[in-house]
Amino acid sequence: KQEVTQIPAALSVPEGENLVLNCSFTDSAIYNLQWFRQDPGKGLTSLLLIQSSQREQTSGRLNASLDKSSGRSTLYIAASQPGDSATYLCAVTPAEKLTFGTGTRLTIIP
Amino acid sequence: GAVVSQHPSWVICKSGTSVKIECRSLDFQATTMFWYRQFPKQSLMLMATSNEGSKATYEQGVEKDKFLINHASLTLSTLTVTSAHPEDSSFYICSADPLLSGRSTDTQYFGPGTRLTVL
């Protein structure tokens, strides 16, 4: 059974700093990996999708990497802003079904 | 593009009543929609996969007679929580996998969620 873990569970950093969020998964037979953002009481916003054949994806200040063999992905956020405060979830797709990680609650301190 | 809506956004009901939640894909068609549940401070858990024109596929531990799913068209799936109880209070989120040229894109677009509170 696929298990997805995110460390740390919570993170607070001063505005302007670069930061890295980690995601690990136990079964490397994945189709793709996605990073999502969830604001309190809201739905999900997809940030980046990495296909299993890719190693990284970039969108603006966000860069996500994928290492299937080690079962790890990282989300790098450059020059953090208070608006980046949210919970970040990673999810892997073995077939169609997404398996979500436990999430990292990020707080950017102005 | 690829907008998914949910209605209602929140609902409060008495124990024992049934609640229907709608999930609509506004600008695309989807043969497959997914229903998730999220308890406070926990991640999303897949409840069931909704298939247009056929029965839904439920995840282990999810009661199909309690959580009725209907996917009557390519743009609408409904989740009915029957005889709701306080332990059913949760945040319910749907997602839809767009059809492109008749094939699934394997990318899910999420609705804004519905917060259910059962008194």
Side-chain angles (χ1 to χ4, degrees):
Chain A
K1 178 186 173 187
Q2 178 74 267
E3 292 185 6
V4 183
T5 305
Q6 291 184 244
I7 295 173
L11 179 65
S12 294
V13 300
E15 180 180 0
E17 284 197 4
N18 305 324
L19 59 100
V20 175
L21 306 181
N22 298 292
C23 172
S24 62
F25 46 95
T26 55
D27 186 347
S28 62
I30 64 171
Y31 188 70
N32 61 45
L33 182 145
Q34 294 186 65
W35 282 93
F36 295 89
R37 169 189 173 133
Q38 185 177 30
D39 293 289
K42 304 290 186 181
L44 300 182
T45 301
S46 180
L47 298 174
L48 290 164
L49 169 69
I50 311 177
Q51 301 288 354
S52 62
S53 58
Q54 298 174 321
R55 295 193 67 84
E56 66 176 333
Q57 281 285 337
T58 298
S59 176
R61 295 183 292 110
L62 305 180
N63 176 276
S65 68
L66 174 63
D67 184 342
K68 272 184 56 178
S69 60
S70 66
R72 282 189 277 187
S73 175
T74 61
L75 177 66
Y76 175 82
I77 301 177
S80 59
Q81 303 171 357
D84 295 331
S85 297
T87 295
Y88 289 80
L89 297 163
C90 70
V92 297
T93 311
E96 257 191 347
K97 301 176 182 179
L98 284 171
T99 301
F100 282 86
T102 47
T104 295
R105 188 171 67 254
L106 175 65
T107 302
I108 305 301
I109 305 166
Chain B
V3 177
V4 176
S5 70
Q6 281 184 240
H7 178 80
S9 56
W10 60 269
V11 57
I12 302 173
C13 68
K14 293 182 179 180
S15 184
T17 60
S18 294
V19 175
K20 180 187 284 188
I21 303 170
E22 294 185 347
C23 176
R24 292 181 185 273
S25 55
L26 299 184
D27 48 4
F28 64 94
Q29 295 182 329
T31 56
T32 305
M33 293 185 175
F34 303 87
W35 287 96
Y36 295 85
R37 180 168 54 182
Q38 184 179 35
F39 291 108
K41 298 187 178 180
Q42 294 186 26
S43 194
L44 279 76
M45 296 297 293
L46 179 65
M47 298 175 65
T49 302
S50 172
N51 304 296
E52 188 268 337
S54 65
K55 292 182 179 180
T57 304
Y58 290 82
E59 295 301 298
Q60 191 173 10
V62 178
E63 300 174 56
K64 62 180 181 180
D65 294 330
K66 181 170 183 62
F67 299 98
L68 302 178
I69 291 173
N70 184 285
H71 195 153
S73 76
L74 290 173
T75 59
L76 174 64
S77 174
T78 61
L79 168 68
T80 301
V81 183
T82 62
S83 187
H85 288 93
E87 58 265 31
D88 298 323
S89 298
S90 187
F91 194 52
Y92 292 85
I93 301 178
C94 73
S95 69
D97 183 356
L99 274 177
L100 186 63
S101 301
R103 297 181 63 182
S104 164
T105 62
D106 291 324
T107 301
Q108 294 184 32
Y109 294 89
F110 287 80
T114 296
R115 183 160 302 283
L116 170 64
T117 302
V118 185
L119 302 176

